[in-house]
Amino acid sequence: MSRVVTVDQAVAEAAAVLGGARDVTLLAHIDPDADALGSALALGIALRRRGARVQVAFSSPDRVPESLEPLDALGLLVPPARVIAAPEVLVSCDAAEPRRLGSLGRLLDTAGRTVMLDHHATNPGFGDVQVLDPGAEATVVLAHRVLVEMGAPIDADMARCLYAGLVTDTRGFRTAGPAAYRLAADLVEAGADPAALTRTLMDSHPFAWFEGLGGALERAVLEPSGLLHTTIPLADVRRYRSEEIDSVVEVLRTAVEAEVVASVMQIEERRWRVSLRSAGTVDVAAVATALGGGGHAMAAGFTREGTEQDVLAALRAALAG
């Protein structure tokens, strides 16, 4: 019979494993966001300063999003080809399932110990130590709890990483609870600059992007069911930064008539990545899970093969079912 472990117990176990480790590899999910990289880098900075050998990586794309580069204050990020084959300890950050680690998911089988930190309700649970709390606003909340349990002082570099994940995953604190605001205050006191971080992460786009955004809005379709969707063609996905492409769904979700918003991004000739947002009445995590993805009730996603119409038909069927 498996042992039932509370989040508090899992946090304590994770802190014990990391506190005694000499060699730690921390992984963010593919297409990493501020929550995934912020969690990995904050933990990595603390471990490096304790004398551990630390690597932080993600399997794809080839480079870190430009807006997240400043978070890597100690140069911990390495390309996947340089990640050691059998780390002493492997930490998965913000990956809702092993597949979200991409090709680096193989390290789950070769590492001496594995620790998973995540807050997705669709996470099935994996790893030797599972710090999984769907009630947490962001994975950085759990990373912070582990750091506190380790007795690691939160310095300015770590605070910036943690604040970046918190502000983005709560949509500028729109979905934050009281504890998240208290954590934000602590991080600001530790050296995080909210104005500078928020502008870089959420409010900065090159002027050239307005043409791409205009095209995405022109292609937007509002269906009678309340599904609002647009398509971003492969040429635009390759032309613009991931920060621009990923921002489209946040613009669309402001439409008051939409119950569900979908940004359908072409990432290969017949491969699409779909970001979903809900106005509140539809659990898009359940929809995404039915289509091979996952996420949260209000924000989720999936990847699908086929034509644009194939993807939209599958989405409509999942929403209807």
Side-chain angles (χ1 to χ4, degrees), residues 67 167-168 171-172 174 194-206 209-210 241 243-244 247:
S67 62
V167 71
T168 53
R171 298 180 56 233
R174 292 176 180 86
L197 282 167
T198 303
R199 176 164 177 76
T200 299
L201 293 167
M202 305 173 72
D203 296 332
S204 295
H205 299 290
W209 163 238
F210 293 162
R241 301 184 308 168
E243 289 90 335
E244 278 68 67
S247 71

Side-chain angles (χ1 to χ4, degrees), residues 249-262:
V249 73
E250 299 300 331
V251 177
L252 292 180
R253 78 185 303 169
T254 62
V256 295
E257 299 90 345
E259 292 295 331
V260 173
V261 169

Side-chain angles (χ1 to χ4, degrees), residues 3-4 28 73 92 97 112 131 136 140 182 188 201 213 230 237 247 293 306:
R3 180 170 64 102
V4 177
S92 167
E97 59 176 329
V131 184
V140 291
R182 287 191 288 270
V188 172
L201 293 167
L213 177 60
T230 193
V237 171
S247 71

